[in-house]
Amino acid sequence: MTVWGICEKGDYREDNQDSILMRNEGNSGIFLVADGVGGSLDGAGASGYIAQRYGAWWEYVFQAHRAKDFFSLFGHIKDTAEQINEELCRDSGAGNSCSTLALLFVHQGICGYLSCGDSRIYRCGREGARVITRDDVWENRPDRDAGSEHAGMIISAVGGYENLEYSCATDKVRAGEVFLLCSDGIYRYVEEDELLAGLRHMYRMPFLRQGRVEKLARRAVEHDTKDNYSLIAVKV
C-alpha cells in the first residue's frame, strides 16, 4: 500500500479549515479528509478534532485489536463518528463547530467508506474510475424544491445536527486499486474528466507516485481555486 496526501490553505483563505489523516501498516489503513463547514464558528476546530480522534482510534483501538474482523472494526469507526458528532454538538452547540467527512478504511482485503457532507471519495479499478460517495447537498434531497435558494447548501455534517446522518458501504478490494479522497477545493476546480484520467493513470502504474498526486493539486491552483484544498491518494 502506498499513500500520498496534500492539505493546503491556498492563496485566498486566511486559515486552513481542512484536515487530513493518513495511517497505514501493511495492507491496512485509515484515511480521511475533513473540511470545516464555512459559516460555522469553528470549522477548523471540528475538522482537526475529527482527525485527532481517528488518529487516536488507530493508535489505541486498531493497534490493540487488529486481529478482529473487518466488520467489527468498521462498526467501531461508525460508532466513533456518532460520538464525535455528539461531543461537538454538546460542547459547541449543533451547527457551530462542524465539518464534512470522507473516510476510507482498508483491512483484510475489504474496504469501507463513510461519507458526510460534500467531501468525496473516488475509486479506480477494473470497472474504471468513478466517484463512490454522494454529496450531501440540498439538490440531492428527494424532497427538494426546484430553484430553491438553498442550492449548494450542505445538509449533513459532523457536528451540524444532533442526529448524525451519513452514508457508508463496504466492498472487497483488489490489489492495485486506487482511491482518492478530496475536499471540494479540488473537485470543484479540476475538470471531472481530468480528475478521472489522473486516477486511471495511477491505476495503470505499478506504484503510486507523489508527482501524480501533486499534479492534481497544481491543477486546482492553476484553475484559481479560492478554497483550502486537500486530497489523499491510496493505492492498495
Side-chain angles (χ1 to χ4, degrees):
M1 181 182 293
T2 53
V3 185
W4 292 101
I6 296 170
C7 183
E8 296 289 345
K9 177 175 72 68
D11 296 332
Y12 289 87
R13 298 292 180 92
E14 294 183 359
D15 60 346
N16 192 353
Q17 297 203 28
D18 289 4
S19 295
I20 66 174
L21 176 72
M22 302 180 292
R23 295 287 188 274
N24 64 291
E25 184 177 295
N27 293 320
S28 300
I30 186 170
F31 315 95
L32 69 83
V33 167
D35 179 358
V37 175
S40 65
L41 296 178
D42 190 15
S47 68
Y49 186 60
I50 291 169
Q52 174 191 334
R53 283 293 307 276
Y54 278 110
W57 180 90
W58 177 263
E59 295 297 329
Y60 300 108
V61 178
F62 178 80
Q63 295 293 350
H65 303 286
R66 69 179 69 193
K68 282 193 172 184
D69 67 278
F70 168 91
F71 294 99
S72 295
L73 291 168
F74 192 57
H76 200 278
I77 284 173
K78 293 187 287 185
D79 291 343
T80 299
E82 294 177 5
Q83 291 167 9
I84 294 170
N85 183 75
E86 181 180 339
E87 291 159 6
L88 289 172
C89 290
R90 180 194 64 211
D91 295 342
S92 302
N96 289 323
S97 181
C98 50
S99 173
T100 70
L101 174 61
L103 180 151
L104 173 71
F105 177 55
V106 181
H107 184 57
Q108 296 176 341
I110 306 172
C111 67
Y113 72 82
L114 187 154
S115 173
C116 180
D118 64 351
S119 292
R120 289 182 178 177
I121 304 177
Y122 292 80
R123 181 178 185 178
C124 186
R126 294 180 186 173
E127 296 80 11
R130 64 209 185 277
V131 62
I132 60 173
T133 54
R134 186 191 70 176
D135 297 343
D136 292 320
V137 293
W138 180 264
E139 301 91 287
N140 289 335
R141 284 176 57 116
D143 59 345
R144 68 189 183 280
D145 296 326
S148 169
E149 70 276 11
H150 299 303
M153 184 181 74
I154 294 174
I155 58 174
S156 180
V158 182
Y161 303 91
E162 291 186 2
N163 294 318
L164 179 65
E165 295 185 3
Y166 58 86
S167 300
C168 64
T170 63
D171 194 11
K172 291 182 179 179
V173 63
R174 299 185 181 95
E177 285 191 304
V178 176
F179 294 87
L180 180 75
L181 297 79
C182 64
S183 64
D184 63 344
I186 293 290
Y187 69 78
R188 291 188 191 279
Y189 295 90
V190 179
E191 293 291 338
E192 185 81 353
D193 289 346
E194 185 176 9
L195 195 155
L196 295 177
L199 270 173
R200 287 191 291 268
H201 181 87
M202 294 178 196
Y203 175 63
R204 290 193 298 268
M205 295 297 100
F207 300 102
L208 181 64
R209 301 186 185 278
Q210 182 180 5
R212 297 303 305 184
V213 182
E214 291 175 340
K215 183 177 181 180
L216 287 177
R218 284 198 306 271
R219 292 300 290 161
V221 174
E222 290 167 1
H223 291 171
D224 204 26
T225 181
K226 293 178 173 58
D227 201 351
N228 310 140
Y229 57 93
S230 300
L231 71 160
I232 299 172
V234 182
K235 189 175 180 71
V236 298

